[in-house]
Amino acid sequence: MQNIQRPSSYTKSRTKTFDLVITAILAALVFVATMFINLKLPFGQGGLIHLGTSMLFISAILFGPKKGALAGAIGMGLFDIVGGWLIWAPTTIISRALQGFIVGKIAWSKGHNGDNIGFNILGAVVSMPVMIAVYYIGQAIMFNSWVAPLASIPGDVIQNIVGLIIAIPVCVVLKKTPYFKRNF
């Protein structure tokens, strides 16, 4: 049987479709981890501790900045829209897109593809103040107060630390699987 060369447009189209599917799955995982695995905080502006942050970190570390940004923005933004937190959706979309992008950008810098634990932790840590700042500004605008949002900062910090503590070991294990050894 003769070896048939496929046009490069077929390969590009297939790659784009695969990227779209992976991004959709990651956003769905962030959404599910946010929606069904959460704890309402008794302080602040009614925030949540949820595992969506860990899925955002995992997505960005394993798949890079674009997929991390989209997974976080779509997954957590969708949670806000369908979960009764609609007023928070714009702030969430902006903050989580930035957070996913920052984590992925640092984790995938200097030739690493999320395979350096130090860069992965650094990416998550650097992203935390950005996420907190965007939520702070969003809340200040929503509540017309620069003081009230301060009460939410401890919950945001806890949520990010829990996300980091879960994400790093999961990424270490997943990076050892044949899929990530072969494809990244």
Side-chain angles (χ1 to χ4, degrees):
M1 182 174 239
Q2 186 179 15
N3 187 7
I4 299 172
Q5 292 290 331
R6 299 199 192 279
S8 66
S9 63
Y10 173 80
T11 304
K12 288 179 185 176
S13 174
R14 188 171 175 192
T15 301
K16 286 182 180 182
T17 302
F18 182 75
D19 283 346
L20 178 64
V21 169
I22 290 292
T23 303
I25 290 169
L26 294 172
L29 288 170
V30 170
F31 171 76
V32 168
T34 307
M35 184 81 170
F36 298 109
I37 310 169
N38 66 55
L39 173 70
K40 191 170 185 324
L41 294 172
F43 55 87
Q45 304 298 329
L48 298 171
I49 299 290
H50 54 74
L51 296 185
T53 303
S54 61
M55 280 307 308
L56 179 150
F57 289 157
I58 292 166
S59 299
I61 290 167
L62 295 180
F63 294 97
K66 286 198 299 190
K67 287 182 182 69
L70 288 169
I74 295 167
M76 288 191 220
L78 187 58
F79 164 77
D80 282 352
I81 292 166
V82 302
W85 305 84
L86 184 60
I87 192 171
W88 293 92
T91 302
T92 295
I93 290 167
I94 294 166
S95 68
R96 297 312 185 141
L98 288 170
Q99 188 170 35
F101 184 82
I102 290 166
V103 173
K105 194 71 172 170
I106 292 172
W108 282 59
S109 66
K110 298 192 181 205
H112 296 287
N113 295 333
D115 55 9
N116 182 294
I117 295 172
F119 278 91
N120 297 347
I121 293 170
L122 179 64
V125 169
V126 168
S127 78
M128 291 177 194
V130 174
M131 173 266 195
I132 292 167
V134 172
Y135 270 109
Y136 177 83
I137 292 167
Q139 287 179 62
I141 293 167
M142 279 188 272
F143 299 110
N144 197 26
S145 169
W146 293 99
V147 177
L150 293 172
S152 296
I153 293 174
D156 290 341
V157 170
I158 292 167
Q159 182 184 108
N160 278 281
I161 290 171
V162 168
L164 179 62
I165 289 169
I166 292 169
I168 295 302
V170 169
C171 289
V172 168
V173 170
L174 288 174
K175 279 293 190 177
K176 293 179 181 178
T177 64
Y179 177 81
F180 287 102
K181 284 184 177 182
R182 180 181 68 239
N183 289 313
F184 299 100

